[in-house]
Structure formats: structure tokens, C-alpha cells
Amino acid sequence: PFFQHLQGYLEEQRIAPLYWKVTATDTQFVKSSNNEVVVTLPIAGDHDSSDYFVIQFMRDAASGSLALNAQGFWLSGTNAAAYQLIEGMLPNLATFDKAWYAYEWVDADGDKAPDLDEMHLKASGL
């Protein structure tokens, strides 16, 4: 939301099902509907080989525009989100019927690149 003005707007207006939040010690994805923390990750630590990410779909009621957001807490998570969207979700799109998905990515083979078997669904919802 810092650099992506559209995502900042969607989160600020609580149009996005999930929004990004940072505290003094961790980062979180939080439900817009009730402020429930979905996933959290300490700021300190190795973020090159593990991260959380979200993929979410939303509609701006003011314009009717659809938006798709795929983002991690860190760059590695954003890369994993894009990989999961392209390789895991789009080929099987009919099986994904939720508005949002939160995943954990942990690099199991040490290459610091995402693979489908390294993605673990943590939560999803409407």
C-alpha cells in the first residue's frame, strides 16, 4: 500500500478483504470486516526463504472496477504470490471460489524460489 496507490486506496477504504498492518515487531494481514489478524510474521528474521502472502479479489463499489491483489510481506512473498497465482490458481481457477487466500511459503529446496509444493494455505474467506 505504500507504493501501490490503488492497493492503498482499497485497503484504506476497507474495500480489500484483507489489509496490511505493521506493528513495532511484526507485520500482519488483517480482515477488513472485523480486524481479525489472519497471519502475522516478525519483522526480524530471514525473509528470503519464507514469507506469507495473500491473493485477493475485490470490487470497488464506487466505480464497479474489479481488482486483483497478490502481495507478500516481503519481496520473496510477493514473488511466491505471483507464482502461486500463475502456476497454481489460474490453471484451476474454477476450484477457487473465495474472495481471498492467505498462504505461507517456505523454501524447502534451498533455491530461494517458489515451487507449488512449498505453498501452504493458511486461511481463506469471502
Side-chain angles (χ1 to χ4, degrees), residues 35-106:
N35 294 319
E36 176 187 342
V37 175
V38 175
V39 293
T40 187
L41 184 70
I43 292 171
D46 170 24
H47 302 298
D48 289 338
S49 58
S50 67
D51 198 359
Y52 288 94
F53 65 86
V54 297
I55 298 172
Q56 55 184 338
F57 307 92
M58 63 217 88
R59 181 183 300 274
D60 178 18
S63 68
S65 299
L66 292 172
L68 168 65
N69 167 245
Q71 74 181 51
F73 288 132
W74 305 95
L75 178 59
S76 62
T78 301
N79 289 338
Y83 187 87
Q84 174 65 15
L85 179 64
I86 293 166
E87 300 296 330
M89 294 179 92
L90 290 179
N92 305 298
L93 197 55
T95 65
F96 291 92
D97 60 353
K98 305 289 191 252
W100 61 268
Y101 298 86
Y103 288 88
E104 180 180 24
W105 168 68
V106 178

